[in-house]
Amino acid sequence: MIGFYNYTVWLTYLSLISGVLGISFAMSGNPFGAVICLLISGFCDMFDGKVARTKDRSEKEENFGIQIDSLSDLVCFGVLPAVIGYSVGMTDWYFIPVFCLFVLFGLIRLAYFNVLEAERRANDGPRVGFQGLPITTSALIFPAFYLLRKFIPGSFYLVYAFVMILTGCLFISKIKVKKPGNKMVIGFCITGLILLICLLCGRYL
């Protein structure tokens, strides 16, 4: 079989599986399950790079890891948030351009990041930050706004659409984002756990 299947890519594969499962949940009328899957994909993506760097990989393995990570990110953090929006009732025609632009901006951001990453590796320069908002921030942004659904039922669709447009524009903006250190990664994980607890409490209590 073509491809690589060692442990350095397992978390990326798991992230993609969670993203596809989330899309399935959303399309079957279960946006709550889809949002949980979005969080799970975010957790997997948070550590896949750290796991990959524990192994001395060949150049082909490293390039493969970069490409599948971006392809997985597009599904999990680009397509899935758009499908969640559709599943909660954003089915009017004027929401469709919002979904399309969000996914398109995510695609452009990931492709451009791959170009910059290839240049960085060719020059052996360490990565100190990102240009534009990383698409993986979708894993925290949209579950957080999904929590508002019960509090602003009348305007939730417009808020969700606005957040999608704003986030998509930040994907392709020229803002500089510092690469998260260990403390920031821990902060992201704690935030994700808090969101998960809030979502579960809102669902079952």
Side-chain angles (χ1 to χ4, degrees):
M1 296 187 296
I2 64 172
F4 298 95
Y5 302 93
N6 56 59
Y7 74 89
T8 63
V9 293
W10 288 353
L11 278 179
T12 303
Y13 291 159
L14 182 60
S15 177
L16 177 65
I17 291 171
S18 178
V20 173
L21 184 61
I23 292 173
S24 300
F25 280 142
M27 295 306 294
S28 61
N30 183 8
F32 173 80
V35 171
I36 297 299
C37 287
L38 179 56
L39 279 171
I40 292 173
S41 292
F43 280 121
C44 292
D45 185 82
M46 187 70 68
F47 298 103
D48 61 357
K50 295 182 182 300
V51 171
R53 287 189 290 273
T54 63
K55 183 179 185 297
D56 186 16
R57 296 176 293 168
S58 67
E59 184 177 355
K60 287 185 177 179
E61 287 177 318
E62 289 185 11
N63 289 332
F64 180 80
I66 292 171
Q67 298 301 324
I68 64 162
D69 185 65
S70 290
L71 293 170
S72 174
D73 286 353
L74 181 62
V75 174
C76 299
F77 311 117
V79 176
L80 179 53
V83 179
I84 289 173
Y86 188 87
S87 71
V88 297
M90 298 170 64
T91 56
D92 293 311
W93 67 268
Y94 45 81
F95 289 123
I96 304 303
V98 175
F99 299 150
C100 291
L101 286 175
F102 177 79
V103 177
L104 176 61
F105 290 161
L107 174 67
I108 294 171
R109 190 265 178 299
L110 290 168
Y112 189 70
F113 171 79
N114 282 0
V115 171
L116 294 182
E117 185 68 7
E119 291 180 353
R120 182 191 68 81
R121 294 178 65 237
N123 297 323
D124 294 325
R127 186 200 305 159
V128 296
F130 302 97
Q131 187 171 3
L133 185 70
I135 193 174
T136 51
T137 54
S138 293
L140 294 178
I141 292 173
F142 292 101
F145 277 94
Y146 182 82
L147 285 171
L148 298 176
R149 187 182 178 192
K150 291 184 177 180
F151 301 100
I152 52 171
S155 57
F156 174 76
Y157 298 160
L158 294 178
V159 171
Y160 195 93
F162 174 77
V163 172
M164 291 196 79
I165 293 174
L166 177 61
T167 305
C169 290
L170 290 175
F171 288 161
I172 58 174
S173 69
K174 292 186 177 182
I175 63 170
K176 301 293 184 180
V177 179
K178 185 180 179 181
K179 181 182 178 181
N182 291 333
K183 290 184 179 179
M184 191 172 293
V185 169
I186 293 173
F188 287 154
C189 291
I190 293 174
T191 302
L193 286 173
I194 292 173
L195 285 173
L196 178 60
I197 292 171
C198 291
L199 286 165
L200 292 174
C201 289
R203 174 81 169 187
Y204 296 110
L205 294 183

